[in-house]
Amino acid sequence: MANFLIRTKKTEGKTTLYVRVQKRTPKIDWVLSTGISVSIADWCKCYESGNVKLWNSYTKEGNAGFEIKKKMDLVNETIDLLFSNGTIKSKEDKKALVEALAELKNHEAITKQKEIKQRKREERESQMHKVIACCEAYIKGIKEGIITDKRCRDGKYSEGTIAGWVTFFNYLKDFASEEMTFEDITPEWVQRFRLFLENRGLMQRTINKNWGTAQHLCRYAASKGWNRNAISLTTWGDNLFPKPKQQTEIYLTEAELDALYNMPLEGTKAKVRDLFFLGIFSGQRISDYSEFKPYHITTTEKGTPIFKLTQKKTGSNVEVPIFDPRCYEILERYNYQSPEVPLQYMNLLLKDILKELAKSVPSLMEQYSTAMTRREKDAEITYLRLCEKVANNEPLTKNELVEYNRRKQYALEHDGNPVFKRDGRGNLLKYKWELVTSHTARRSAITNLHKLGLRERDLLVFSGHTNLKNLEKYIKTGLSEEADRIAEKMNTTAKEVQLKLEA
């Protein structure tokens, strides 16, 4: 009933195979495209020549014609089925056969696509035992939301976390080869990697952060079956640096905040102060309180004024009551949105403002022991080197002169000390105003509300934290302050008990 043919005068290359369908009853003679691609030379040699031996050899499994023969058989089966089930009864039913052959071609294309995707997937999977390929795939997954973060309510990784992974990946690419596998991770390799990061100028805290990222990657690969090296799951923790001294985190008291609010300021500094206070009144991070819009200020069903937002870092939804009328004074000045401030200079300008305020607020001149940052350490070394050049009458470059004068000014403001002032244990000493940053607003808001006696549950709602452990890091009251607060509570309770007894 069906015969296959090609319709071309070419003798080389590829062409489409056609099928000729002939029948006496009903009288039919159709030539239709099958969509099958064949080699012209092979077709002429093996099929049109009528040489059965050559055709059988050509279509043998493993040879070029094997898949072609399978497709031809499928076309034949389709034609036979349409005639046997009565779908084709006359010449007018040609459309049914055309559609059936087209469906075969579509099915073939879809199958091919699936095979290609499956092959690519298998190729990717085969590369996942390699550390760099696995890390790259992981970053792609967290960016696209395929890999989720259980710690966040919406499951999405924050921009900051993704940036941290990208930074780690760049370090890894600079140090390791693309062919390195998880099996290659040994304590010795980890030590060499740490030395590499130290030579890049990274502080211990930053290296520890990268260590946590590396360990997470090893555990993720193990959960997928790509990492069977048990040592890689533990060696990172074994090689952590001792927890370094953290930068001292302070908060501003109500008295200090009142003085700051009433401080006469103009221009950009006034905007910086006002933006800082939006952080005080909302208790949020600068990534949130720097982008307040009118739609963030609303009310509850009972009419309580609130800030309503989704936190950028965690994706948590928070509704913060607006409890201080000064908040509206600031919002009205900027049409109920955050003042526009160059955030890259926010901390620098805050320190300038607090430094000036310290002249009238003595508590801001209190000194705190704190850890030295890498930048401060480098600045100190540079300044001492420049001092030596000046003492030897060696000329300074333009950039060196700028740095020398800047550090000299710092020395004049700190008892003429050419290096950072230290306590008896070698820790850096800084004035309180020097420790203020944009994040001090969130810390101050939470600490001052804690001092007022708000329950931890209320503070969690206010800050948007998901657990008490993280919340407690923001409460910065000292032991004496806590003792005073507890004593005040106990005295109040004792008075209440006494009144009940007398009644």
Side-chain angles (χ1 to χ4, degrees):
M1 184 189 298
N3 188 34
F4 293 90
L5 66 150
I6 58 175
R7 305 174 75 179
T8 181
K9 293 181 180 180
K10 294 180 181 179
T11 57
E12 294 180 353
K14 289 184 174 293
T15 190
T16 301
L17 189 64
Y18 287 81
V19 62
R20 186 168 190 171
V21 182
Q22 294 176 303
K23 199 171 184 185
R24 290 180 180 178
T25 308
K27 191 173 182 180
I28 288 173
D29 189 1
W30 298 330
V31 177
L32 305 171
S33 170
T34 64
I36 302 170
S37 179
V38 296
S39 164
I40 297 172
D42 289 345
W43 182 260
C44 293
K45 178 182 177 182
C46 303
Y47 186 87
E48 290 190 353
S49 67
N51 190 321
V52 176
K53 188 176 180 181
L54 281 175
W55 177 250
N56 288 339
S57 175
Y58 176 63
T59 58
K60 188 178 179 180
E61 186 172 1
N63 291 341
F66 180 73
E67 290 296 326
I68 292 173
K69 178 68 166 52
K70 281 174 62 177
K71 294 172 184 177
M72 290 167 63
D73 290 343
L74 192 58
V75 170
N76 267 326
E77 289 171 11
T78 302
I79 294 170
D80 291 343
L81 180 63
L82 292 178
F83 277 103
S84 64
N85 66 15
T87 301
I88 299 177
K89 297 178 181 177
S90 65
K91 290 189 291 185
E92 284 70 29
D93 296 325
K94 181 179 180 181
K95 184 180 178 183
L97 181 54
V98 172
E99 290 176 349
L101 293 177
E103 193 173 331
L104 281 180
K105 285 187 282 185
N106 289 337
H107 177 72
E108 182 189 345
I110 292 169
T111 303
K112 194 170 184 179
Q113 271 189 336
K114 286 182 178 178
E115 289 173 353
I116 292 170
K117 285 183 179 179
Q118 178 63 23
R119 190 159 56 248
K120 286 182 177 179
R121 191 180 300 113
E122 289 171 355
E123 287 173 359
R124 285 196 302 270
E125 290 280 323
S126 70
Q127 296 294 311
M128 288 302 101
H129 69 291
K130 297 178 180 178
V131 178
I132 288 180
C134 183
C135 188
E136 187 173 22
Y138 189 88
I139 292 172
K140 186 174 184 290
I142 61 179
K143 283 182 177 179
E144 295 176 352
I146 298 170
I147 300 173
T148 56
D149 186 353
K150 294 178 181 178
R151 296 169 298 177
C152 297
R153 293 180 184 178
D154 63 355
K156 294 180 180 178
Y157 276 80
S158 69
E159 292 179 6
T161 302
I162 293 172
W165 271 93
V166 171
T167 300
F168 166 74
F169 179 58
N170 289 332
Y171 289 139
L172 191 62
K173 282 195 301 181
D174 287 346
F175 180 74
S177 73
E178 290 189 0
E179 296 304 311
M180 176 189 166
T181 69
F182 287 99
E183 292 294 326
D184 298 322
I185 296 178
T186 63
E188 293 75 23
W189 185 91
V190 170
Q191 288 285 3
R192 291 197 302 273
F193 187 36
R194 184 165 80 175
L195 184 61
F196 165 78
L197 295 179
E198 287 177 0
N199 291 336
R200 294 289 291 264
L202 300 190
M203 300 291 279
Q204 292 181 5
R205 181 179 180 181
T206 306
I207 292 175
N208 282 351
K209 186 177 180 181
N210 279 283
W211 254 224
T213 304
Q215 190 168 44
H216 183 92
L217 179 68
C218 291
R219 288 174 177 171
Y220 171 76
S223 72
K224 296 293 184 179
W226 305 324
N227 176 16
R228 297 180 181 179
N229 178 11
I231 293 174
S232 72
L233 305 179
T234 58
T235 190
W236 301 97
D238 294 340
N239 286 278
L240 279 174
F241 280 108
K243 190 173 182 181
K245 180 176 174 60
Q246 303 290 313
Q247 283 276 300
T248 298
E249 296 172 336
I250 54 94
Y251 79 100
L252 296 181
T253 65
E254 291 288 357
E256 290 166 341
L257 290 172
D258 288 342
L260 176 59
Y261 188 84
N262 295 318
M263 185 181 182
L265 293 170
E266 295 180 351
T268 302
K269 285 188 176 181
K271 290 182 178 180
V272 166
R273 186 263 313 276
D274 291 347
L275 179 60
F276 183 78
F277 267 94
L278 288 183
I280 294 289
F281 299 138
S282 66
Q284 301 305 303
R285 302 174 184 87
I286 190 169
S287 56
D288 296 314
Y289 73 73
S290 64
E291 295 189 5
F292 283 145
K293 298 287 187 272
Y295 56 80
H296 288 125
I297 295 94
T298 182
T299 59
T300 64
E301 290 183 2
K302 289 188 176 182
T304 302
I306 58 171
F307 287 106
K308 185 175 182 178
L309 66 144
T310 301
Q311 292 180 329
K312 280 195 170 185
K313 181 177 180 180
T314 63
S316 300
N317 295 319
V318 292
E319 295 185 5
V320 181
I322 300 175
F323 56 90
D324 194 315
R326 293 178 297 181
C327 184
Y328 282 105
E329 292 178 10
I330 292 175
L331 290 171
E332 286 172 4
R333 282 202 283 271
Y334 304 99
N335 297 318
Y336 284 81
Q337 57 188 13
S338 301
E340 293 185 9
V341 168
L343 297 184
Q344 66 270 35
Y345 302 120
M346 177 80 173
N347 290 338
L348 187 62
L349 291 169
L350 269 175
K351 286 176 173 56
D352 284 346
I353 294 168
L354 271 294
K355 179 182 176 182
E356 184 64 28
L357 185 62
K359 295 175 181 178
S360 57
V361 181
S363 60
L364 292 174
M365 291 299 293
E366 291 176 3
Q367 291 189 326
Y368 290 77
S369 173
T370 186
M372 180 179 278
T373 67
R374 182 76 190 193
R375 183 178 296 176
E376 288 167 339
K377 190 176 291 185
D378 289 343
E380 184 176 79
I381 293 170
T382 300
Y383 182 59
L384 290 174
R385 179 176 58 81
L386 294 177
C387 285
E388 187 177 346
K389 288 184 74 172
V390 170
N392 294 331
N393 294 319
E394 296 178 31
L396 301 180
T397 66
K398 185 177 180 181
N399 289 338
E400 286 178 332
L401 187 60
V402 170
E403 179 65 16
Y404 173 74
N405 288 330
R406 190 173 70 84
R407 297 304 308 161
K408 186 177 181 180
Q409 181 62 34
Y410 176 89
L412 291 172
E413 294 171 355
H414 291 75
D415 306 321
N417 197 336
V419 295
F420 290 103
K421 193 173 182 180
R422 290 171 169 77
D423 61 14
R425 296 182 177 180
N427 295 316
L428 192 65
L429 284 174
K430 284 188 177 181
Y431 298 119
K432 186 174 184 178
W433 63 263
E434 292 181 283
L435 295 169
V436 175
T437 68
S438 60
H439 206 58
T440 306
R442 180 166 166 83
R443 202 179 300 118
S444 300
I446 294 171
T447 301
N448 285 319
L449 287 175
H450 166 74
K451 287 170 66 176
L452 285 175
L454 257 70
R455 297 176 304 166
E456 290 175 334
R457 171 63 185 168
D458 296 329
L459 289 173
L460 284 173
V461 173
F462 176 79
S463 67
H465 283 109
T466 55
N467 58 69
L468 288 174
K469 184 179 178 181
N470 288 335
L471 174 69
E472 286 169 355
K473 295 176 183 177
Y474 281 79
I475 298 174
K476 296 299 175 181
T477 48
L479 293 176
S480 296
E481 286 181 291
E482 285 298 303
D484 291 340
R485 188 176 65 85
I486 293 169
E488 188 176 341
K489 274 189 174 183
M490 293 176 71
N491 289 335
T492 301
T493 302
K495 287 177 182 178
E496 290 174 353
V497 171
Q498 184 63 34
L499 288 172
K500 285 182 181 179
L501 290 174
E502 290 176 358

